[in-house]
Amino acid sequence: MALALRCLRPLPSLLLRSSFAMGRGLPQAPRGCPAPLLEGCRQCVQQMLPSRQLATKKAKGKGQSQAKVNISAALVEDIINLEETSGDMQAVIEALKEDFSRNLNVRTSPGALDHITVVTKDGKFPLNQLGQISQKSPQLMIVNMTNFPESTAAAAKAIRESGMNLNPEVDGTVIRVPVPKVTREHRESLAKLAKQSTNKSKEALRKVRSKSITQVKKSKNNVSEDTIRLLEKQIQQMADEAAAEMDKLLAAKTKELLG
């Protein structure tokens, strides 16, 4: 009885609040409130308001993070071959991995010279098809060009321009390749080359993306704008993921080179 009287004391103001609450659509008083006829006492209304506001904030938060686009390649095969686009992007990544493995190592080995491309009057050939590569000592590699003596100068030029920081010396049909010492400067030079290679690969990746988007836009007269937009977003998403993978490869290679 005493609890009911306490709720009835602020009757005038509560009546005004009650009509305001009804206009705003506030919820009814919860069960157990001692003054149900007044649409809930002041304490009940105050308890209900924060939960209403919190729910509104949560609702506003929904939908802020957009899901990734994942279009089935089979559904759009008449517009673009997404699997081919993915394959082209992956090929760029694999080429970067191969470049890191062959050309960017702290210690140069004979195997690192195998696939250096030599430009001759008869075409382009890997160095190991023109000369015999061996390691004379930890500080010296030898390329014997006896079988193709006319390509000796071209081979030396290819080694010098390989980006491996090598300075070959020609002695007849023999090319001596001093192995640089593993200094801090050499490590930093290799790390810069790794960064340059990554930038070139990203440029190749952008070309793949641009080519694919151009192909999609050619179908704008046959498909809806929403479809075109979703495909462009899908291709951009694929390119972003490939670029992120390249960044990871670069970070790992830089850590390896700098020690």
Side-chain angles (χ1 to χ4, degrees):
M1 183 68 179
L3 181 60
L5 288 175
R6 282 200 297 270
C7 286
L8 287 172
R9 286 176 184 174
L11 179 59
S13 60
L14 281 176
L15 286 173
L16 290 175
R17 290 176 180 270
S18 176
S19 60
F20 174 75
M22 293 177 65
R24 293 294 298 273
L26 286 174
Q28 297 294 319
R31 292 181 181 180
C33 175
L37 296 177
L38 300 179
E39 302 290 353
C41 64
R42 186 192 306 271
Q43 181 179 359
C44 295
V45 173
Q46 289 176 345
Q47 288 176 347
M48 288 186 286
L49 282 175
S51 62
R52 175 77 173 239
Q53 294 169 351
L54 181 60
T56 303
K57 289 180 180 179
K58 287 183 178 180
K60 288 182 179 179
K62 292 180 180 179
Q64 287 183 352
S65 57
Q66 298 180 353
K68 290 185 177 180
V69 178
N70 189 13
I71 301 174
S72 172
L75 295 177
V76 294
E77 58 183 4
D78 293 337
I79 303 173
I80 187 173
N81 189 332
L82 287 177
E83 292 181 353
E84 182 179 337
T85 299
S86 178
D88 290 343
M89 291 183 178
Q90 189 61 38
V92 176
I93 295 174
E94 293 302 321
L96 180 62
K97 289 181 181 178
E98 187 175 357
D99 183 37
F100 281 178
S101 176
R102 288 181 177 175
N103 302 325
L104 297 174
N105 295 297
V106 174
R107 296 191 180 278
T108 306
S109 64
L113 304 183
D114 286 348
H115 299 282
I116 290 179
T117 302
V118 181
V119 180
T120 70
K121 62 180 181 179
D122 297 321
K124 298 179 180 180
F125 301 93
L127 180 60
N128 63 353
Q129 291 186 10
L130 301 176
Q132 297 177 344
I133 307 171
S134 60
Q135 187 144 11
K136 189 76 171 177
S137 70
Q139 286 77 40
L140 181 64
M141 288 187 293
I142 299 294
V143 182
N144 191 329
M145 298 293 296
T146 303
N147 293 333
F148 296 93
E150 68 280 3
S151 300
T152 302
K157 179 181 179 182
I159 296 171
R160 188 176 297 109
E161 296 176 355
S162 65
M164 298 172 65
N165 193 33
L166 300 175
N167 188 23
E169 303 168 355
V170 178
D171 183 9
T173 58
V174 174
I175 303 174
R176 301 179 185 277
V177 186
V179 178
K181 294 181 179 180
V182 184
T183 62
R184 186 65 185 178
E185 291 75 14
H186 180 51
R187 289 176 179 272
E188 291 175 351
S189 175
L190 291 175
K192 288 180 181 178
L193 289 175
K195 177 66 173 177
Q196 292 173 7
S197 295
T198 304
N199 288 337
K200 288 180 181 178
S201 295
K202 286 185 176 181
E203 180 61 32
L205 180 66
R206 284 190 287 269
K207 289 180 179 179
V208 173
R209 180 203 61 191
S210 298
K211 178 182 176 182
S212 299
I213 289 179
T214 299
Q215 183 178 346
V216 168
K217 288 182 176 179
K218 288 180 180 179
S219 302
K220 64 181 180 181
N221 295 328
N222 303 322
V223 297
S224 67
E225 292 183 3
D226 288 341
T227 301
I228 296 294
R229 187 161 49 250
L230 284 174
L231 278 172
E232 289 178 351
K233 187 174 181 180
Q234 171 85 12
I235 294 168
Q236 181 62 54
Q237 181 177 293
M238 292 163 62
D240 290 343
E241 291 173 354
E245 186 172 349
M246 290 181 184
D247 287 336
K248 290 181 180 178
L249 291 173
L250 175 61
K253 192 64 180 180
T254 300
K255 183 178 180 180
E256 173 194 326
L257 293 172
L258 296 180

